Amino acid sequence: MDPELLERITARRAELDELEEQLAKQLTQVRAERDELAIAERVLERVSEQLADERASAAPAPGQVGGRAVMLIPHRTPDIGETMLLPDYQRILAAVRQAAGPVMTRQVGEMIGVDVTVRSKLEPLRGRLVRLVDRGWLRKLPDGRFTTRL
């Protein structure tokens, strides 16, 4: 047998043995990480279920109209779009969104065509704005101005 050829075979075998060792180590690490991800996924599912249960029990019960359960202003959630709101509330949201920054009730009234010179016309609008705040559609600043939720 050729000694040079035998030496090359031995060197290549050593390279492959080292590569096999590295790959075995990586495979062990990959399996450990997959196990950790499976555990994290189960924990996330449990926490999500608990949060969903808490939200369902914390949500106010809808009112009754004609024997049917209704909520005119639904709570803002990722699966409920603005189209679920009544048209007046959609216009109010659009007006607040169009403003360059936080707005007072009077400014919203001007944008949607309410007679802002009459206080009795502004109070119902203020009530609607506050209702949108309570349901998570808008945010009310400490100075009484309204802005959109981020």
Side-chain angles (χ1 to χ4, degrees):
M1 233 195 227
D2 186 9
E4 185 181 319
L5 190 56
L6 188 57
E7 187 177 313
R8 289 175 80 184
I9 291 172
T10 305
R12 181 64 180 152
R13 185 178 307 234
E15 287 175 13
L16 292 175
D17 288 345
E18 185 179 325
L19 181 60
E20 181 182 26
E21 188 178 315
Q22 289 173 357
L23 290 173
K25 187 184 233 182
Q26 283 181 334
L27 181 60
T28 302
Q29 291 171 345
V30 166
R31 286 181 176 158
E33 187 173 343
R34 287 182 72 192
D35 291 344
E36 289 172 359
L37 287 174
I39 292 168
E41 192 173 33
R42 286 194 303 265
V43 168
L44 179 62
E45 285 177 15
R46 281 191 208 137
V47 169
S48 295
E49 289 172 3
Q50 289 173 349
L51 287 174
D53 291 344
E54 288 173 11
R55 285 185 185 134
S57 65
Q64 293 282 326
V65 175
R68 293 181 40 209
V70 295
M71 181 173 280
L72 297 178
I73 318 310
H75 284 272
R76 182 178 180 203
T77 61
D79 58 328
I80 294 182
E82 287 181 28
T83 56
M84 298 300 291
L85 296 173
L86 295 172
D88 287 347
Y89 288 92
Q90 290 179 28
R91 284 190 8 239
I92 292 169
L93 274 177
V96 173
R97 198 172 285 117
Q98 275 181 325
V103 291
M104 298 295 290
T105 304
R106 181 176 301 278
Q107 292 168 295
V108 175
E110 290 170 351
M111 288 189 261
I112 64 171
V114 172
D115 184 2
V116 296
T117 60
V118 180
R119 185 175 174 92
S120 64
K121 301 280 184 178
L122 283 179
E123 287 309 313
L125 175 58
R126 186 180 328 279
R128 288 184 179 128
L129 285 162
V130 168
R131 210 166 291 121
L132 286 169
V133 169
D134 292 343
R135 300 298 199 282
W137 293 96
L138 293 176
R139 193 167 59 107
K140 186 174 182 180
L141 302 176
D143 63 0
R145 294 181 301 162
F146 297 89
T147 185
T148 56
R149 285 247 178 228
L150 298 176

